Amino acid sequence: MLSISLLVLLHEGGHFLFAKLFGIRVEKFYLFFDPYFSLFKFKPKNSDTTYGIGWLPLGGYCKISGMIDESFDTDQMKQPAQPWEFRTKPAWQRLLVMVGGVLVNFITAMVIYIMILFSWGESYVPTRNMHLGMCFNDEAKALGLRDGDVLVGTNLGEFKGFNANMFRDLSEAKRVDIIRGGKEMSVAMPGDLNLLTMLKNEPKFVEPLIPNSIDSVLPGTPAAALHLQKGMKIVALNGKSISSFNQFKYQMGVLSDRMAVAKTAADSLKVRNITLVVEANGAKDTLKTTLTPQLQLGFAPPQLYSLYEPVTKDYGFLESIPAGIKYGIEVLAGYVDDLKYVFSSDGAKSLGGFGTIGSLFPPTWDWYMFWNMTAFLSIILAFMNILPIPALDGGHVLFLIYEMVTGRKPSENFLIKAEYVGFGLVFLLLIVANLNDILRWLGYM
């Protein structure tokens, strides 16, 4: 809520800034929407603007006089045009007012990335250094990759770290370079893998191999009741041999599939009752327990940064400026490239609403992650708003460019109808995205 509220205020502040700069009256400046009533509002003395906080947390708005927007204030448009209104200003000024919000969000993202690099530097584990190897799913193995291989790079370049950019390169690569058994070699790739499928499948196309040892145990869980401790290894689950945490996670996925088709409480309980073989100091012990209703045992495996020494690069302030801008542009380019998957059936199912946004943030406060995700959301907010859809900033920009090129302004009746259509499309997208979140929570997706 803090992240989105900050970005909404900055976005609307961009519109506000340019409107005031050109002498356009701003009637309302709101965080969240306020149908029927506001949680808070005030109007400074000698000001034309009412500032407030609405009760519907779906964004915010800046109501500009003489403009057809989401307020649908058609009565105002029937009155004689006034010199302080948006509609009486030159097209280039109206254009800057409309792109102001997007511009501020882009600048905000770049500034945050610059300050992240200056404050924390850049840390990552080069894939070349992951000597324990990686695990691959059936799709990857069909291409010639094997568990234990270490991915180094592709014909597009060497991998920097295990991240989304690595998956993007793999999806487009004609060749992947690996280390197998200490020897460097290459495996041919098709060059047109579906990135969404690579990330969405369980198991994923590739994951770092994580040892099957226990790093920590959560109190009050089945693992704690079994007295599992740091350093112990889980070597079997329900008779299935386990040599890595990846295999443990796969077997837990099998249990999840069985739970999904369980019809009675007794069936569910049968799935939750498991048998473990645990190894400690060379000795093995067979244990029985009942998982939580969410199929949780209650332990955490070793983290990647505890297995490998990360490479850290520090940036001086002047160094961080071009590096932060470059990183921000790379994030934007990756996001834009991934949008092509939205128009597939799997892509539509992958859309998420407020629940998905919330899940991007860690469960405990982390300033680095907060600012990193805020910058990412700022880029998303900017790009989505500049799309040429009526009701979004990009729709207004499209009509203004048409006016500047042709010298003819679209009729107010047309703009009102376009606004309704655009608002309907945006609202439908909002419903679909949040419905997907609900269906995932219920276990249907």
Side-chain angles (χ1 to χ4, degrees):
M1 291 296 290
L2 176 62
S3 176
I4 293 176
S5 298
L6 175 64
L7 295 179
V8 168
L9 285 172
L10 288 169
H11 180 90
E12 299 304 331
H15 296 308
F16 183 91
L17 175 65
F18 280 101
K20 288 293 188 180
L21 183 65
F22 300 131
I24 302 171
R25 182 174 294 176
V26 178
E27 299 175 15
K28 298 177 76 173
F29 185 89
Y30 261 69
L31 174 65
F32 307 151
F33 296 122
D34 62 326
Y36 306 113
F37 69 93
S38 304
L39 295 179
F40 167 79
K41 65 179 180 179
F42 78 99
K43 186 175 183 180
K45 188 177 180 180
N46 300 323
S47 174
D48 299 313
T49 307
T50 299
Y51 303 87
I53 300 176
W55 61 270
L56 189 60
L58 297 179
Y61 70 100
C62 180
K63 188 177 185 307
I64 297 173
S65 295
M67 175 183 168
I68 298 171
D69 59 11
E70 61 270 21
S71 68
F72 299 107
D73 187 359
T74 56
D75 290 337
Q76 184 184 74
M77 303 304 293
K78 295 176 182 177
Q79 304 300 318
Q82 302 296 328
W84 61 78
E85 289 186 332
F86 178 83
R87 55 180 164 168
T88 62
K89 300 299 179 178
W92 69 270
Q93 292 186 3
R94 286 180 278 135
L95 181 65
L96 286 175
V97 171
M98 294 319 305
V99 300
V102 168
L103 183 62
V104 167
N105 279 134
F106 274 126
I107 293 173
T108 296
M110 298 304 167
V111 169
I112 292 175
Y113 283 133
I114 288 169
M115 295 311 298
I116 284 175
L117 292 179
F118 176 63
S119 301
W120 287 282
E122 184 181 17
S123 294
Y124 60 94
V125 175
T127 59
R128 178 182 288 275
N129 295 352
M130 295 182 181
H131 56 83
L132 295 177
M134 299 168 186
C135 294
F136 301 87
N137 66 10
D138 291 339
E139 180 189 13
K141 289 176 180 176
L143 296 173
L145 295 167
R146 301 178 189 173
D147 287 342
D149 288 348
V150 178
L151 299 181
V152 175
T154 69
N155 55 290
L156 302 174
E158 185 162 330
F159 298 137
K160 191 172 185 179
F162 198 98
N163 53 33
N165 288 332
M166 183 196 77
F167 280 89
R168 289 192 186 97
D169 284 357
L170 283 172
S171 70
E172 301 171 359
K174 294 292 186 179
R175 183 197 80 236
V176 59
D177 303 321
I178 64 172
I179 299 175
R180 179 181 292 171
K183 297 180 180 179
E184 296 201 14
M185 56 185 297
S186 298
V187 174
M189 297 287 281
D192 60 351
L193 293 175
N194 187 298
L195 177 62
L196 187 63
T197 302
M198 294 172 71
L199 293 168
K200 191 176 180 181
N201 281 349
E202 284 296 340
K204 293 180 176 61
F205 186 86
V206 57
E207 294 179 319
L209 190 149
I210 304 296
N212 56 338
S213 57
I214 295 171
D215 184 69
S216 60
V217 176
L218 298 175
T221 62
L226 290 174
H227 303 292
L228 300 185
Q229 297 178 7
K230 180 181 177 68
M232 290 183 173
K233 293 183 178 180
I234 297 177
V235 296
L237 171 60
N238 288 343
K240 301 292 184 179
S241 179
I242 301 292
S243 61
S244 67
F245 178 73
N246 308 74
Q247 291 181 351
F248 175 83
K249 191 167 64 169
Y250 176 80
Q251 292 301 327
M252 293 297 285
V254 172
L255 294 182
S256 180
D257 292 340
R258 289 175 53 196
M259 179 69 87
V261 298
K263 297 181 179 179
T264 66
D267 291 338
S268 298
L269 184 60
K270 186 176 180 180
V271 175
R272 291 168 55 201
N273 290 331
I274 64 168
T275 301
L276 296 172
V277 178
V278 178
E279 182 180 309
N281 300 319
K284 296 181 180 179
D285 193 11
T286 301
L287 306 171
K288 295 181 181 293
T289 189
T290 301
L291 299 173
T292 67
Q294 295 78 30
L295 296 182
Q296 298 296 317
L297 181 57
F299 79 94
Q303 299 301 302
L304 197 64
Y305 276 24
S306 68
L307 298 172
Y308 307 107
E309 186 70 28
V311 171
T312 300
K313 182 177 180 180
D314 294 321
Y315 291 87
F317 182 70
L318 294 180
E319 291 178 302
S320 67
I321 295 174
I325 293 173
K326 180 184 176 183
Y327 183 77
I329 292 173
E330 289 175 354
V331 171
L332 172 62
Y335 176 74
V336 173
D337 185 57
D338 295 346
L339 276 182
K340 60 178 177 283
Y341 296 104
V342 172
F343 301 101
S344 65
S345 59
D346 286 339
K349 292 177 182 177
S350 70
L351 290 174
F354 298 114
T356 297
I357 294 173
S359 68
L360 296 175
F361 290 83
T364 55
W365 188 265
D366 184 320
W367 276 111
Y368 172 82
M369 286 301 299
F370 172 79
W371 287 118
N372 201 30
M373 291 314 308
T374 298
F376 180 59
L377 292 175
S378 191
I379 282 179
I380 292 177
L381 183 62
F383 182 78
M384 294 302 291
N385 265 282
I386 204 61
L387 293 176
I389 299 173
L392 297 180
D393 296 341
H396 293 282
V397 169
L398 179 66
F399 296 139
L400 281 166
I401 292 175
Y402 168 82
E403 178 186 343
M404 294 172 74
V405 171
T406 65
R408 297 192 303 270
K409 183 186 294 188
S411 70
E412 291 181 0
N413 185 50
F414 170 81
L415 293 176
I416 291 170
K417 289 180 178 178
E419 193 78 11
Y420 274 113
V421 171
F423 192 80
L425 289 172
V426 172
F427 193 66
L428 178 62
L429 180 63
L430 191 66
I431 292 174
V432 171
N434 285 283
L435 180 60
N436 283 350
D437 282 347
I438 294 172
L439 292 175
R440 291 189 194 99
W441 181 70
L442 293 174
Y444 291 104
M445 288 182 63

